[in-house]
Amino acid sequence: VIKCKAAVAWEAGKPFSIEEVEVAPPKAHEVRIKIVATGVCHTDAYTLSGADPEGCFPVILGHEGAGIVESVGEGVTKVKKGDTVIPLYIPQCGECKFCKNPKTNLCQKIRITQGKGVMPDGTTRFTCKGKQIFHFMGTSTFSEYTVVADISVAKIDAAAPLDKVCLLGCGISTGYGAALNTAKVEPGSTCAVFGLGGVGLAVIMGCKVAGASRIIGIDMNKDKYVKAKEFGATECISPQDFKKPIQEVLVEMTDGGVDYSFECIGNVGVMRAALEACHKGWGVSVIVGVAAAGQEISTRPFQLVTGRTWKGTAFGGWKSIDNVPKLVTDYMAKKIKIDEFVTHTLPFDKINEAFELMHSGK
């Protein structure tokens, strides 16, 4: 058993508490990882808020991490002690019908136990003050050591800087893949990206790599425009600057609508606007943001009858174990940006400040 520090969420709506936790050794087909760096994501904040129907407490959150394998359980063959790895919230078992289908990346092998905050055998590896602590998204990166299933870990280039590539565990991969894999943006196309946080910037990067000629960023926070343009946005607009709905503005700006739109906020009203900003006959809108529990999307069926397509994406459509190492290689070859996404680097015990910075859009 390893004793280490972790940020424990004892209950919904309360700040994290840095505690000493005990991390049990990995069982069969499990891997214990020393986490070197982790990003913070709105999904962690969503669960912490209490709005997540799958949220269990007390829990160790975090799902954008990178680290070094400390030990492996029986039967683990893909990674060994000392390997550099990224934990994966969408695993890849290679055996279920989802993994065998090229149309999806949503491996279902451990989905049920992962959603309940436990390891595949139904138990947890974390204890604090004599209490069992739940896992989160199969990763729990807000701990100096964590245990994950062996199908939830990608071995990456040992030379990669972990304080950067940890972001490939969620946000950057999600947005970048939404443009390349889900929308399949084509050269010369016009795109609109709603929400210019980390995921939105990654979508812009994907649209640019795919050869889009016009990329319109939409956000009410104008402080985000400079960064969006660095990533490839050709122009940025705020819905507050117009008297009419933003979808009407975009349809006028683009002679009938955009070819591809992306919702990167998790707001069902914006999801509708993103669809309706698409061009009749061929426009495709991708939902990337996660809306709160119980919310529903709506539009007039005529929008779809007249040739628009509504799609969704999770982790950018990447089959995780196959593709995360390739994304790291692309970053090392300077084909994709990561450093530019990092705004602040804080010590682990300042994790509550990191969440405040995220909520304030900084």
Side-chain angles (χ1 to χ4, degrees):
V1 174
I2 287 178
K3 287 186 176 176
C4 69
K5 282 198 300 187
V8 177
W10 288 106
E11 54 185 302
K14 294 277 170 71
F16 296 100
S17 177
I18 300 289
E19 304 279 4
E20 183 180 82
V21 298
E22 290 161 1
V23 185
K27 294 190 181 178
H29 294 289
E30 294 177 2
V31 179
R32 187 159 61 180
I33 302 167
K34 178 184 188 352
I35 296 289
V36 175
T38 183
V40 299
C41 172
H42 276 284
T43 309
D44 303 305
Y46 166 64
T47 299
L48 185 63
S49 74
D52 181 355
E54 276 195 347
C56 333
F57 294 88
V59 64
I60 294 173
L61 298 174
H63 63 284
E64 276 189 347
I68 311 291
V69 174
E70 178 274 332
S71 59
V72 300
E74 188 187 330
V76 175
T77 56
K78 297 273 171 70
V79 294
K80 62 185 186 305
K81 182 178 176 169
D83 282 350
T84 304
V85 294
I86 291 178
L88 306 165
Y89 70 89
I90 293 184
Q92 188 185 352
C93 72
E95 296 163 1
C96 69
K97 69 178 180 182
F98 287 79
C99 280
K100 287 179 172 169
N101 190 321
K103 294 178 181 174
T104 186
N105 62 330
L106 297 174
C107 172
Q108 297 295 294
K109 183 80 177 277
I110 59 173
R111 178 72 195 92
I112 292 167
T113 49
Q114 182 173 312
K116 290 178 178 164
V118 293
M119 294 299 288
D121 71 347
T123 63
T124 85
R125 302 288 165 270
F126 297 120
T127 319
C128 182
K129 299 178 179 172
K131 286 190 180 144
Q132 289 292 304
I133 307 292
F134 287 110
H135 295 250
F136 177 66
M137 288 175 79
T139 53
S140 290
T141 60
F142 294 170
S143 174
E144 291 178 324
Y145 287 86
T146 189
V147 178
V148 305
D150 63 351
I151 59 170
S152 302
V153 62
K155 180 182 172 180
I156 62 163
D157 182 344
L162 301 187
D163 61 329
K164 305 294 193 290
V165 297
C166 62
L167 299 179
L168 290 170
C170 177
I172 297 178
S173 305
T174 297
Y176 188 59
L180 296 183
N181 303 328
T182 310
K184 296 185 168 64
V185 170
E186 294 158 320
S189 54
T190 297
C191 303
V193 181
F194 291 78
L196 301 175
V199 174
L201 294 176
V203 170
I204 290 172
M205 180 168 73
C207 292
K208 188 179 178 185
V209 165
S213 59
R214 194 173 177 191
I215 304 168
I216 305 165
I218 300 114
D219 201 299
M220 295 196 294
N221 182 351
K222 293 184 179 180
D223 294 342
K224 298 193 169 186
Y225 294 177
V226 173
K227 198 85 160 171
K229 286 176 181 170
E230 277 172 32
F231 275 87
T234 52
E235 62 223 277
C236 295
I237 58 174
S238 167
Q240 289 171 312
D241 289 346
F242 301 94
K243 297 262 192 316
K244 58 179 99 170
I246 194 69
Q247 54 266 52
E248 290 179 24
V249 174
L250 285 159
V251 167
E252 281 178 16
M253 280 173 69
T254 56
D255 185 27
V258 299
D259 302 311
Y260 301 97
S261 70
F262 301 85
E263 197 281 351
C264 307
I265 303 162
N267 178 311
V268 292
V270 178
M271 291 173 190
R272 177 173 189 160
L275 176 80
E276 295 176 0
C278 282
H279 202 289
K280 185 176 184 175
W282 63 76
V284 174
S285 186
V286 181
I287 294 173
V288 192
V290 176
Q295 296 201 322
E296 296 182 352
I297 49 173
S298 61
T299 189
R300 293 197 181 94
F302 194 67
Q303 292 284 337
L304 301 175
V305 170
T306 51
R308 294 169 193 83
T309 303
W310 223 343
K311 300 181 90 167
T313 188
F315 196 54
W318 301 107
K319 287 197 184 269
S320 58
I321 289 177
D322 289 348
N323 288 292
V324 167
K326 292 177 186 168
L327 291 168
V328 171
T329 302
D330 282 352
Y331 161 67
M332 300 295 277
K334 298 197 162 41
K335 288 181 187 166
I336 59 175
K337 295 180 160 120
I338 297 185
D339 301 25
E340 295 81 354
F341 284 90
V342 180
T343 56
H344 296 75
T345 303
L346 299 171
F348 186 33
D349 54 13
K350 297 269 177 76
I351 189 163
N352 287 308
E353 280 182 37
F355 275 77
E356 285 163 22
L357 286 164
M358 179 172 67
H359 286 305
S360 65
K362 292 179 180 154

